[in-house]
């Protein structure tokens, strides 16, 4: 129930300057003092604080500029009566709207005994600085929600800025909240959890309805209706009902099976989507940086922000260094990047992405109480048509019309033979004599012929193909989860099998992203044994420690009784901080020994960042970045005697040689330098100049185990791996050789981003195929490379991690985001997420995609064999023998057995085999049905027709029957049984295309389905002969049918050796 407290509104006469006690004035709308605790809910410039509006000549005093305490602007009321009344009416509307919204929020967040609204007389009077408590905190949920929603600096300052707000939330801005579970649970209970209600997926009935609208079913339903009307007209309702019953059963089973597969696939997609959203990030709790799930963020948490991070909740900044965020997802306006700072715009919205800079925020609202929560809709799988399904839809529709056409021709031929007198009885007399044959006899013959034609349509229309494809897709994507692969877009996964080039980032994918300093030049000496690094000169070591501790976004936490302190931050930051620990750094003491004047955030394009420090009466600006860039800005260096020496040309060449030597060993080279200055010039320093070189650092990031073997496997499968990196050419070359991407150090397959960028479009396309290492490249350079490769006809898969990679990911044919090191922006724009950031997992994805392609080909070949064989047998029998060897019920029964059990047998494969990488990728536009498949299909059909003619010659069965009824039933039953066993053994032949017989015997599901098919066939033949018009066969005939099925496998296998990956 929505309750609105109208007592919160009152009218007053605003006193004028000439009449302090109240005189004629304008009627304005405001709030009484009794509702002052909620003054922050009023629109900016509209009353508040519980006091009357100030006189026009009163000016607000300037507020102190502190961290989190911002200046506000005095909004004076207009002197126009019409404008005031308009503002008053607009304000009333906004107050009512906001109150209704708050009442809806209270309904969601409060318990039933708290849901009623107390009378305003029961509220104590207070000001905005004395808000009502909530759960023991000094501020309520509604005030926190409205604070960020309005983005009012005035409201924030009423709480004494972020510092005052943190006190109300019982949060230490340095140490964060307590880490104990009771505290976190209490905050979650009071202010809500950082979760969103998932939109319920489609029910099973929706998928059932969608499956029933399949186009092919219309042909079968119409055929069944026509058959029923003809039968009822001549024989009655209950005579021969089982034919239509089999049609209905076939349709019902098809619809149910397809709906169940799609429903389970939808449920699996929802589960994977939830897994994708469950990202982990760092928060400060109890003075330590801990990684928690985004769902575990609570109000009062301190969250460090850096480039590429998605803001996990609504909050307020209290530390900001050139912070810029993208609020496009919130505002729905393209390119909406907003500069955030503590003084003018400290409010952060959940769902926005950090594009640049660093900062630290205090969480004020979570979950459905945020702006993102109100807009949040869980994405569902789009109804895109996958490449396989599009092709199979065309194939099924084409086959349907062909089947209808040829079935109509076959029926017409039979009826033509009958009415022309060519059809003979057993005694040789014509079956139809004009004027002698009764109308009922002629109609019965017509109905029998049409019934058989309709049965041919039912069994020959390959509507089971879609079941096979969907079942393969569902089972493959489910198995891939165990391989750390999360498929977001199925069409892209299907394309993965056709990928010819992989653009792969170096750091964190080809390498472990576990960095450590293994080489240091400092003080005129080079140290490669880190155990001796602490022997550097004292003064130099102090400067290095000062630069490491202050110029970082990471932290070091030392605990009593723990020998090795814990290090937090990016992998590079952690490596440098560990170097500081080895030098004897006391992190907290060093940071408190100097005052940070301002920070120059790390610039990825310029490759450096710095911090300006005030140390007593002196100033130090410490810089850290790429060794080559920092060295180019240095004029001096510190020698082993702690003396500052100028860098002459010879010394500069020495330093450049040292950097090159480190890079050739595969090390990432960074440099530390500082710039001494006076306090007066400290604020003006924004760029490095006249630096003093302190140290050159070599950082090792080892290759992942198994990467070299995975790259060799890609090469054997004609998939080129191109490493993209922002590292130096020498470093990139050394790592590429270690990983196996490069075989020599000639450099002919290496290009830099700058070199590639300067070329024209045709020139880029000409050299793009030869590039194996793309060094010193930016995201825009990677985009140019992807475009050039696609223009050359390549199918490109590209990896993405950073905030600037989405353009490249969207351009690639298949986009791969990293689950551990990838940003939220990269994951949202990717088709597949590699959950363990491992290159070997990418190769597994290719193998699974190729396995899916092969499985789909198997299913198509098997289903087409069934359809074409059944159709060919029936047509040949009608044209040459004027008989029905397989009746309508048998054909329908065959359709049920083959479509369902056959699809299951071929879909359940235990694993994807590495030998699928032994062939080049199949082109994305290559036909799914290859020449080899057509050949196998034709041979199988020819074998079945030949076997049929042999059986009809009466020599195989040794039946001296002529046209006696029982002997004819024996022959037709034998034909039907032989047909079933030929198809069963055909499944073995198709399954063994890339498997040995021993491997097939280890596939339990395949053996179970094949065994079930045979058992079902035996039961039907022995106990359901009345329904399918068959007779029991003796053991000799059972053995003969089995041998005919076994020979069918030999016939289709002989001319074609086993091929791991079907190709034309």
């Amino acid at each position: 129930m929505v309750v609105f407290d109208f007592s919160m509104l009152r009218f007053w006469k605003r006193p004028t300057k000439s009449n302090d006690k109240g005189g004629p004035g304008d009627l304005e709308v405001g709030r009484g003092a009794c509702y002052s605790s909620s003054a922050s809910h009023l629109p900016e410039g509209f009353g508040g604080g519980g006091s009357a509006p100030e006189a026009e000549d009163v000016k607000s005093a300037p507020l102190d500029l502190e961290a989190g305490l911002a200046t506000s602007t005095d909004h004076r009321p207009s002197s126009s009566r019409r404008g005031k009344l308009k503002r008053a009416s607009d304000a009333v509307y906004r107050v009512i709207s906001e109150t209704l919204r708050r009442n809806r929020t209270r309904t969601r967040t409060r318990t039933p005994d708290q849901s009623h609204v107390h009378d305003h007389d029961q509220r104590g009077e207070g000001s905005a600085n004395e808000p009502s408590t909530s759960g023991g905190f000094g501020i309520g949920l509604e005030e926190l929600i409205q604070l960020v929603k309005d983005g009012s600096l005035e409201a924030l300052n009423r709480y004494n800025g972020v510092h005052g707000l943190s006190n109300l939330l019982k949060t230490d801005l340095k140490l964060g909240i307590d880490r104990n579970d009771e505290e976190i649970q209490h905050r979650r209970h009071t202010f809500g959890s950082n979760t969103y209600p998932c939109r319920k997926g489609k029910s099973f009935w929706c998928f059932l309805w969608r499956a029933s609208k399949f186009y092919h079913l219309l042909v079968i339903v119409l055929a069944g209706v026509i058959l029923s009307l003809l039968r009822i007209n001549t024989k009655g309702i209950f005579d021969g009902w089982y034919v239509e019953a089999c049609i209905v059963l076939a349709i019902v089973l098809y619809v149910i099976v397809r709906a169940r597969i799609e429903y389970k696939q939808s449920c699996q997609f929802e589960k994977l989507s939830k897994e994708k959203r469950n990202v982990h990030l760092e928060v400060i709790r109890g003075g330590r940086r801990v990684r928690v799930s985004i769902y575990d963020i609570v109000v009062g948490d301190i969250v460090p922000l850096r480039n590429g991070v998605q803001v996990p909740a609504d909050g307020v900044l209290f530390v900001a260094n050139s912070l810029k965020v993208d609020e496009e997802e919130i505002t729905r306006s393209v390119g909406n990047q907003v500069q955030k700072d503590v003084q003018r715009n400290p409010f952060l919205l959940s769902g926005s992405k950090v594009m640049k800079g660093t900062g630290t925020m205090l969480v004020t609202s979570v979950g459905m109480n945020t702006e993102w929560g109100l807009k949040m809709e869980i994405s569902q799988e789009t109804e895109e048509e996958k490449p396989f399904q599009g092709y199979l839809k065309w194939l099924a529709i084409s086959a349907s019309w062909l089947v209808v056409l040829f079935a109509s021709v076959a029926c017409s031929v039979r009826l033509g033979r009958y009415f022309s007198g060519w059809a003979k009885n057993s005694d040789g007399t014509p079956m139809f004599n004009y004027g002698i044959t009764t109308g009922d006899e002629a109609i019965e013959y017509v109905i029998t012929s049409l019934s058989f034609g309709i049965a041919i349509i039912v069994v020959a229309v390959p509507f089971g193909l879609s079941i096979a494809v969907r079942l393969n897709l569902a089972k493959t994507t489910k198995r891939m989860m165990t391989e750390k692969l999360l498929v977001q877009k199925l069409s892209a996964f299907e394309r993965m099998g056709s990928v010819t080039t992989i653009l792969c980032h170096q750091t964190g994918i080809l390498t472990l992203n576990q960095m450590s300093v293994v080489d240091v030049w400092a003080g005129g000496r080079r140290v490669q044994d880190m155990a001796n690094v602490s022997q550097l000169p004292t003064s130099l070591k102090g400067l290095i420690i000062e630069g490491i501790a202050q110029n970082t976004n990471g932290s070091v936490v030392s605990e009593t009784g723990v020998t090795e302190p814990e290090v937090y931050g990016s992998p590079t930051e952690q490596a440098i901080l560990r170097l500081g620990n080895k030098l004897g750094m006391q992190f907290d003491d060093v940071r408190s020994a100097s005052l940070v004047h301002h920070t120059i955030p790390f610039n990825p394009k310029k490759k450096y960042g710095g911090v300006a420090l005030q140390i007593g009466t002196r100033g130090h600006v410490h810089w850290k970045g790429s060794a080559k860039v920092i060295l180019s800005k240095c004029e001096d260096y510190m020698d082993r005697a702690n003396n500052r020496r100028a860098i002459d040309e010879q010394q500069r060449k020495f330093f450049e040689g040292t950097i090159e030597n480190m890079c050739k060993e595969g090390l990432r080279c960074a440099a530390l330098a500082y710039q001494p200055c006076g306090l007066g010039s400290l604020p003006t320093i924004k760029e490095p100049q006249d630096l003093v070189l302190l140290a050159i650092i070599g950082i090792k990031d080892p290759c992942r185990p198994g990467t070299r073997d995975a790259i060799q496997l890609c090469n054997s499968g004609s998939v080129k791996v191109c490493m993209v990196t922002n590292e130096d050419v020498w470093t990139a070359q050394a790592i590429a050789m270690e990983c196996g991407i490069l075989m020599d150090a000639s450099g002919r397959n290496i290009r830099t981003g700058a070199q590639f960028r300067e070329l024209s479009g045709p020139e880029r396309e000409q050299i793009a195929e030869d590039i194996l290492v793309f060094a010193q490249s930016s995201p825009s350079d990677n985009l140019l490379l992807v475009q050039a490769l696609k223009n050359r006809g390549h199918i490109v898969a590209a990896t993405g991690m950073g905030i600037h990679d989405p353009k490249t990911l969207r351009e690639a044919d298949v986009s791969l985001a990293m689950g551990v090191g990838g940003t939220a922006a990269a994951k949202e724009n990717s088709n597949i997420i590699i959950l363990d950031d491992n290159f070997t997992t990418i190769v597994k994805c290719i193998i699974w995609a190729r396995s899916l392609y092969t499985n789909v080909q198997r299913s198509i070949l098997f289903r087409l064999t069934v359809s074409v064989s059944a159709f060919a047998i029936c047509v040949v029998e009608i044209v040459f023998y004027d008989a029905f060897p397989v009746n309508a019920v048998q054909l329908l029964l065959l359709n049920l057995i083959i479509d369902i059990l056959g699809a299951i047998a071929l879909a359940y494969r235990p694993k994807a085999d590495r030998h699928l990488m032994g062939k080049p990728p199949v082109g994305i536009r290559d036909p799914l049905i290859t020449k080899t498949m057509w050949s196998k299909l034709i041979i199988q059909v020819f074998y079945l027709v030949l076997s049929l003619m042999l059986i009809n010659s009466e020599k195989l069965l040794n039946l001296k029957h002529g046209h006696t009824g029982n002997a004819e039933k024996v022959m037709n039953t034998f034909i039907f049984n032989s047909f079933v066993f030929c198809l069963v053994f055909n499944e073995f032949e198709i399954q063994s295309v890339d498997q040995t017989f021993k491997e097939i015997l280890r596939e339990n599901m395949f053996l179970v389905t094949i065994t079930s098919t045979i058992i079902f066939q035996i039961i039907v033949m022995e106990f359901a002969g009345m329904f399918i018009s068959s007779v029991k066969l003796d053991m000799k005939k059972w053995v003969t049918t089995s041998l005919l099925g076994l020979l069918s496998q030999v016939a289709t296998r002989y001319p074609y050796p086993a091929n791991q990956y079907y190709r034309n």
Side-chain angles (χ1 to χ4, degrees):
M1 180 177 66
V2 179
V3 181
F4 179 68
D5 190 358
F6 284 97
S7 61
M8 63 184 288
L9 300 176
R10 68 179 176 85
F11 290 88
W12 73 76
K13 280 189 175 182
R14 184 175 59 81
T16 61
K17 185 176 180 180
S18 60
N19 186 4
D20 295 336
K21 295 182 181 181
D26 297 327
L27 289 176
E28 295 192 0
V29 182
R31 297 191 187 191
C34 58
Y35 204 80
S36 61
S37 61
S38 299
S40 61
H41 295 308
L42 285 172
E44 188 176 353
F46 173 67
S51 58
E54 297 177 347
E56 293 184 7
D57 59 344
V58 178
K59 296 182 179 180
S60 60
L63 299 172
D64 296 331
L65 289 176
E66 297 179 349
L69 189 60
T71 59
S72 61
T73 305
D74 180 34
H75 299 276
R76 300 183 183 181
S78 172
S79 60
S80 170
R81 178 181 299 272
R82 181 177 299 176
K84 291 176 182 178
L85 290 176
K86 184 177 185 301
R87 285 201 313 276
S89 61
D90 290 343
V92 171
Y93 173 77
R94 287 197 297 270
V95 170
I96 294 174
S97 300
E98 288 300 313
T99 304
L100 292 173
R101 190 193 68 81
R102 289 197 302 275
N103 277 321
R104 288 196 298 269
T105 306
R106 289 191 187 102
T107 304
R108 293 195 303 265
T109 58
R110 292 186 176 183
T111 56
D113 58 335
Q114 295 173 321
S115 60
H116 65 280
V117 179
H118 296 286
D119 187 83
H120 73 280
D121 293 332
Q122 296 176 357
R123 300 176 185 266
E125 294 191 8
S127 65
N129 294 326
E130 297 175 349
S132 59
T133 60
S134 177
F137 296 95
I139 188 170
L141 175 62
E142 290 303 318
E143 288 81 1
L144 289 171
I145 295 173
Q146 203 66 25
L147 177 65
V148 177
K149 177 180 174 62
D150 293 341
S152 171
L153 294 172
E154 183 180 358
L156 179 62
N157 289 332
R158 284 201 295 269
Y159 298 116
N160 294 323
V162 181
H163 292 284
L165 190 62
S166 66
N167 292 333
L168 296 175
L169 290 173
K170 299 181 181 180
T171 299
D172 189 304
L173 291 181
K174 182 178 181 182
L175 303 178
I177 63 175
D178 292 336
R179 298 174 59 190
N180 64 78
D181 294 336
E182 292 182 1
E183 173 67 16
I184 295 172
Q185 188 61 34
H186 175 58
R187 291 176 180 269
R188 188 177 289 119
H189 176 75
T190 304
F191 299 109
S193 62
N194 199 31
T195 57
Y196 309 100
C198 296
R199 189 175 66 189
K200 192 174 181 180
K202 295 180 180 178
S203 66
F204 175 75
W205 301 107
C206 294
F207 290 100
L208 201 66
W209 170 247
R210 190 167 69 179
S212 65
K213 296 188 294 183
F214 198 50
Y215 177 81
H216 308 31
L217 297 181
L218 180 61
V219 177
I220 299 173
V221 171
L222 288 176
V225 169
I226 294 172
L227 180 62
S228 298
L229 292 176
L230 291 174
R231 180 183 54 79
I232 293 172
N233 185 48
T234 57
K235 295 185 178 182
I237 297 178
F238 300 105
D239 189 11
W241 58 268
Y242 42 83
V243 177
E244 288 84 355
C246 285
I247 294 177
V248 173
L249 182 60
I251 294 174
V252 169
L253 282 178
Y254 168 79
V255 170
I256 292 176
V257 170
R258 177 178 173 178
R260 185 175 182 274
I261 292 172
E262 292 184 351
Y263 176 69
K264 290 187 69 176
Q265 192 171 347
S266 176
C267 294
Q268 181 182 344
F269 183 82
E270 291 177 10
K271 181 180 178 181
L272 298 183
S273 298
K274 185 177 180 180
E275 179 72 21
K276 179 190 70 173
R277 293 190 298 270
N278 185 20
V279 298
H280 288 74
L281 68 164
E282 289 185 345
V283 298
I284 299 175
R285 290 179 180 174
R288 300 180 59 182
R289 289 196 180 200
V290 294
R291 287 185 66 84
V292 300
S293 167
I294 192 173
Y295 299 137
D296 294 331
I297 299 289
V298 295
V299 170
D301 262 326
I302 303 299
V303 182
L305 302 173
R306 57 182 174 83
N307 183 18
V309 170
Q310 179 170 312
V311 178
D314 286 359
V316 185
L317 276 174
F318 61 92
V319 175
N321 297 312
S322 303
L323 189 68
K324 182 178 287 188
V325 300
D326 184 358
E327 296 181 348
E328 179 180 339
E329 292 291 335
I330 308 299
T331 61
R332 302 298 182 188
S333 57
V334 179
N336 187 18
Q337 295 189 10
V338 182
Q339 188 77 34
K340 298 289 183 177
D341 58 60
V342 174
Q343 283 77 29
R344 293 181 294 274
N345 191 2
F347 302 102
L348 290 172
L349 300 177
S350 175
S352 55
K353 299 176 180 64
V354 179
M355 304 298 294
K356 179 183 176 183
T358 60
T360 309
M361 67 175 285
L362 171 67
V363 175
T364 58
S365 304
V366 294
M368 290 303 296
N369 297 320
T370 64
E371 286 295 306
W372 178 252
L374 297 177
K375 299 176 182 292
M376 184 69 173
E377 286 186 357
I378 303 303
S379 62
Q380 300 289 326
E381 183 184 10
T382 58
E383 298 297 329
E384 57 168 346
E385 189 172 78
K386 289 76 177 177
F388 287 160
Q389 294 179 11
Y391 180 83
L392 294 179
K393 182 179 179 181
W394 169 84
L395 178 65
I397 292 174
S398 302
S400 299
W401 288 114
L402 286 175
V403 167
V404 171
L405 175 62
F406 284 108
S408 302
V409 171
C411 288
S412 300
V413 170
R414 189 169 193 269
L415 293 175
R417 290 167 59 93
Y418 175 76
F419 287 109
S420 63
W422 289 4
K424 307 293 183 179
N425 291 314
S426 58
D427 57 0
T429 60
M431 297 182 68
F432 178 81
N433 289 314
Y434 183 77
I436 299 176
T437 304
T438 64
D440 291 341
E441 291 176 343
I443 292 175
E444 183 178 357
Y445 190 90
V446 171
I447 291 176
T448 304
S449 301
L450 291 177
S451 173
F452 190 75
I454 290 170
I456 293 176
I457 294 174
V458 172
V459 74
V461 171
F463 61 85
L465 281 178
S466 61
I467 290 182
V469 172
R470 293 175 187 275
L471 191 58
N472 273 293
L473 275 171
K475 293 303 175 184
T476 301
T477 52
K478 184 177 180 180
R479 292 189 196 112
M480 287 173 62
M481 273 300 295
T482 62
E483 303 281 3
K484 303 296 183 181
L485 286 161
L486 195 159
V487 179
Q488 300 191 98
K489 196 171 183 181
L490 292 176
S491 58
F493 171 59
E494 293 177 12
R495 287 194 297 270
M496 192 68 182
S498 301
V499 163
T500 59
T501 304
I502 302 175
L503 258 64
C504 183
H505 285 73
Q506 168 213 320
T507 305
I509 304 176
L510 297 173
T511 62
L512 288 170
N513 205 19
Q514 297 174 359
M515 302 187 187
S516 58
V517 177
V518 297
D519 200 346
V520 175
W521 182 96
R525 57 180 296 194
R526 186 171 177 179
V527 181
Q528 293 179 308
D529 184 1
M530 292 299 102
N532 301 323
V533 75
S534 61
Q535 299 176 6
L536 294 175
T538 304
S539 177
L540 173 62
K541 186 164 59 175
L543 286 171
I544 293 174
I545 289 174
E546 182 181 83
I548 291 176
Q550 293 286 15
N551 191 15
T552 182
N553 292 323
S555 63
V556 179
V557 178
S558 300
E559 294 186 356
T560 306
V562 179
T563 306
E564 189 72 20
E566 293 192 38
V567 179
Y568 300 95
S570 67
T572 305
E573 295 281 5
Q574 291 183 32
I576 296 176
L577 287 171
R578 290 192 184 97
L579 171 64
N581 291 337
K582 293 177 181 179
L583 292 172
M585 175 181 68
Q586 299 298 320
F587 185 78
D588 292 332
D589 295 341
V590 176
R591 289 178 70 90
S592 60
S594 56
L595 178 65
V596 176
H597 187 276
H598 66 273
T599 301
I600 303 96
F602 182 83
N603 190 317
K605 292 183 179 180
K606 297 181 178 180
K607 298 186 177 181
Y608 58 75
V611 60
L613 306 176
Q614 180 180 343
I615 307 172
T617 59
R618 297 175 293 114
H620 284 176
V621 182
H622 282 274
W623 297 91
K624 175 178 65 179
S626 168
K628 286 186 176 181
V629 175
I630 295 296
L631 178 62
S632 66
K633 306 292 183 180
C634 291
E635 299 295 334
D636 301 288
Y637 72 98
M638 298 291 291
D639 64 9
R640 66 183 61 191
N642 284 331
N643 296 320
R644 178 173 172 176
R645 295 185 175 274
I647 299 177
D648 55 20
E649 184 177 351
Q650 182 179 359
Q651 192 64 41
R652 190 173 296 277
K653 288 183 179 180
F654 170 78
F655 289 139
E656 290 174 351
T658 301
I659 294 172
E660 182 177 325
N661 182 263
M662 289 183 180
C663 290
K664 287 183 177 180
E665 295 177 2
L667 304 183
R668 172 181 290 185
C669 286
L672 303 177
Y674 90 110
Q675 179 180 354
C677 62
L679 293 181
S681 59
L682 195 63
T684 63
I685 298 178
K686 304 294 182 182
E687 298 291 334
Q689 57 182 355
D690 300 329
L691 305 184
V692 179
L693 182 65
L694 299 177
I696 299 173
I697 300 172
I699 303 173
K700 179 69 173 177
D701 185 12
C703 282
R704 286 185 180 272
T707 298
R708 190 178 186 88
D709 293 338
I711 290 175
Q712 290 177 354
L713 194 60
C714 284
N715 294 334
S716 67
S718 300
V719 179
K720 184 185 74 173
V721 180
C722 176
M723 184 181 79
V724 296
T725 177
N726 59 0
E727 298 291 349
D728 180 84
V729 172
W730 296 111
T731 303
Q733 178 177 283
I735 294 174
M737 292 186 67
E738 184 180 356
C739 294
I741 295 176
L742 292 178
M743 296 294 107
D744 56 63
S746 62
R748 62 178 179 271
N749 298 114
I750 302 176
R751 293 290 186 277
T752 65
Q755 293 171 345
F756 193 76
R757 194 185 316 132
E758 293 172 356
L759 299 175
S760 63
E763 290 174 333
R764 292 190 197 121
E765 294 176 14
Q766 186 175 359
I767 69 168
E769 294 178 313
D770 299 326
I771 297 176
L772 295 178
V773 176
F774 201 43
Q776 296 177 345
S777 64
S778 64
S780 58
D781 297 327
N782 298 338
L783 177 61
L784 292 175
L785 181 57
V786 170
Q787 292 171 341
L789 287 169
K790 289 183 66 176
N791 291 338
R792 295 289 290 183
H794 285 261
I795 306 300
V796 183
T799 63
M801 301 180 74
I803 194 71
H804 300 291
D805 289 333
K807 288 184 179 180
T808 305
L809 293 174
R810 288 193 293 267
E811 182 67 25
D813 295 290
V814 182
S815 51
L816 309 167
M818 300 301 110
V820 178
T823 60
K827 294 176 184 178
E828 289 173 3
N829 289 276
S830 67
N831 306 136
I832 301 171
I833 298 179
I834 311 300
L835 297 177
D836 61 355
D837 292 13
N838 198 332
F839 181 78
T840 58
T841 307
I842 298 177
V843 180
K844 291 177 183 177
C845 185
I846 297 176
I847 296 174
W848 275 113
R850 291 189 175 191
S851 177
L852 173 66
Y853 187 92
T854 307
N855 285 349
V856 171
Q857 284 185 314
R858 285 191 180 95
S859 301
I860 292 174
L861 179 58
F862 178 67
R863 190 59 185 84
L864 288 181
T865 301
V866 175
S867 298
V868 177
S869 300
F871 185 77
I873 288 174
C874 296
V875 170
V876 169
E877 275 289 310
I878 292 174
V879 173
F880 293 99
Y881 299 101
D882 192 26
F884 294 133
V886 184
N887 60 48
V889 179
Q890 289 173 345
L891 286 175
L892 292 169
L893 184 64
L894 182 68
N895 194 53
L896 294 177
I897 296 173
I898 297 306
D899 263 351
I900 298 176
L901 295 180
I904 294 175
L906 296 175
Y908 279 82
R909 301 204 66 189
K911 62 180 181 179
D913 298 316
R914 292 168 63 92
H915 63 243
L916 288 171
M917 296 296 291
K919 294 286 182 179
V922 174
I924 199 167
R925 294 177 179 84
D926 288 353
L928 196 57
I929 305 176
T930 64
K931 296 176 182 177
T932 301
M933 294 171 64
W934 283 119
S935 301
K936 285 179 174 289
L937 174 62
I938 293 171
I939 291 175
Q940 179 73 12
V941 173
F942 180 78
Y943 173 82
L944 288 172
V945 172
L946 188 63
S947 300
L948 173 65
M949 296 177 66
L950 182 63
I951 294 171
N952 274 277
S953 68
E954 303 180 9
K955 294 180 180 180
L956 181 65
L957 298 180
N958 196 23
L959 293 175
K960 298 178 181 179
H961 53 70
H963 288 279
T964 60
N966 189 62
E968 188 173 345
K969 280 190 174 182
V970 171
M971 183 182 68
N972 291 342
T973 303
F974 186 84
I975 292 174
F976 172 66
N977 205 38
S978 300
F979 188 29
V980 171
F981 272 91
C982 285
L983 295 176
V984 168
F985 279 98
N986 190 43
E987 289 187 61
F988 268 98
E989 194 279 328
I990 293 174
Q991 187 77 355
S992 63
V993 165
D994 59 348
Q995 288 182 297
T996 64
F997 189 71
K998 290 183 179 180
E999 291 174 336
I1000 293 176
L1001 293 179
R1002 288 196 292 266
E1003 294 192 12
N1004 296 330
M1005 182 57 69
F1006 178 79
L1007 295 178
V1008 167
T1009 51
I1010 291 295
T1011 305
S1012 301
T1013 304
I1014 295 174
I1015 293 174
F1016 186 76
Q1017 175 68 9
I1018 294 173
I1019 293 174
V1020 168
M1021 295 292 292
E1022 294 295 323
F1023 303 103
M1026 179 183 68
F1027 294 99
I1028 66 173
S1029 301
S1030 65
V1031 296
K1032 294 183 179 182
L1033 300 177
D1034 56 29
M1035 183 57 65
K1036 176 184 175 182
K1037 293 181 178 59
W1038 277 104
V1039 173
T1040 306
T1041 55
S1042 301
L1043 289 176
L1044 285 173
L1046 182 61
L1047 289 174
S1048 71
Q1049 180 180 185
V1050 177
T1052 50
R1053 177 182 291 273
Y1054 171 69
Y1056 302 99
N1059 192 349
Q1060 292 91 352
Y1061 198 36
Y1062 281 140
R1063 298 181 57 81
N1064 276 323

